[in-house]
Amino acid sequence: MKKTIFPVVIGATMMGLLMNLASCEKDKGTPPTISLISAPGYISKDTTLSAGTPFLIGVNSALAEEGDVLKTMNLSLSVNGGADSTIENVNIPSAYQSVYTQTDSFTAVSTKEKFTYTVTNRDGITNSVNVTIN
């Protein structure tokens, strides 16, 4: 009797596992959306500003797939065409993991600065926007 029950239990367990794996929804791998805020007071395209001029850059990001979540927002800066350096990395709070807005204030300097915002979802898929201030 024991010899018959053991293979049946193992077989039933394997069938259940295979059915569970087959029923999992496949992630389409769609990146989250991100766009620069285009409103009065915000810089949303490459611009030339005098040194000392204050300015705002903001981004709106959102999920592109139902059931996904936004995880991080990274802001990096490249000066005079150099390598990007992270100046801010935000773990997006759970209350904002479907839609997230971020605004940062800066003061123009006498160098070329490229600001890049990169949003990452839970699968590690990213999307970016950037703006350059001369």
Side-chain angles (χ1 to χ4, degrees):
M1 186 79 157
K2 285 184 178 179
K3 290 181 180 180
T4 304
I5 293 175
F6 183 71
V8 170
V9 171
I10 294 295
T13 302
M14 293 298 287
M15 286 294 284
L17 181 61
L18 289 174
M19 286 175 37
N20 187 31
L21 289 174
S23 68
C24 289
E25 184 178 325
K26 299 274 185 202
D27 187 341
K28 294 179 183 132
T30 306
T33 63
I34 187 169
S35 60
L36 291 163
I37 295 174
S38 179
Y42 286 85
I43 301 295
S44 60
K45 61 182 180 177
D46 294 351
T47 305
T48 299
L49 296 174
S50 299
T53 304
F55 63 96
L56 298 173
I57 301 175
V59 293
N60 291 317
S61 57
L63 299 176
E65 289 183 324
E66 188 177 325
D68 206 348
V69 295
L70 301 174
K71 296 303 279 184
T72 62
M73 177 68 72
N74 180 274
L75 171 57
S76 61
L77 173 64
S78 168
V79 178
N80 291 327
D84 285 342
S85 296
T86 295
I87 58 174
E88 183 177 22
N89 194 45
V90 176
N91 289 318
I92 297 173
S94 60
Y96 302 101
Q97 288 183 334
S98 60
V99 177
Y100 180 72
T101 298
Q102 179 171 322
T103 297
D104 296 291
S105 60
F106 302 98
T107 301
V109 294
S110 59
T111 58
K112 179 179 178 180
E113 296 181 307
K114 182 174 94 174
F115 297 88
T116 302
Y117 288 84
T118 303
V119 63
T120 305
N121 70 10
R122 71 169 176 205
D123 301 318
I125 300 170
T126 63
N127 201 355
S128 299
V129 293
N130 63 62
V131 64
T132 300
I133 309 298
N134 288 306

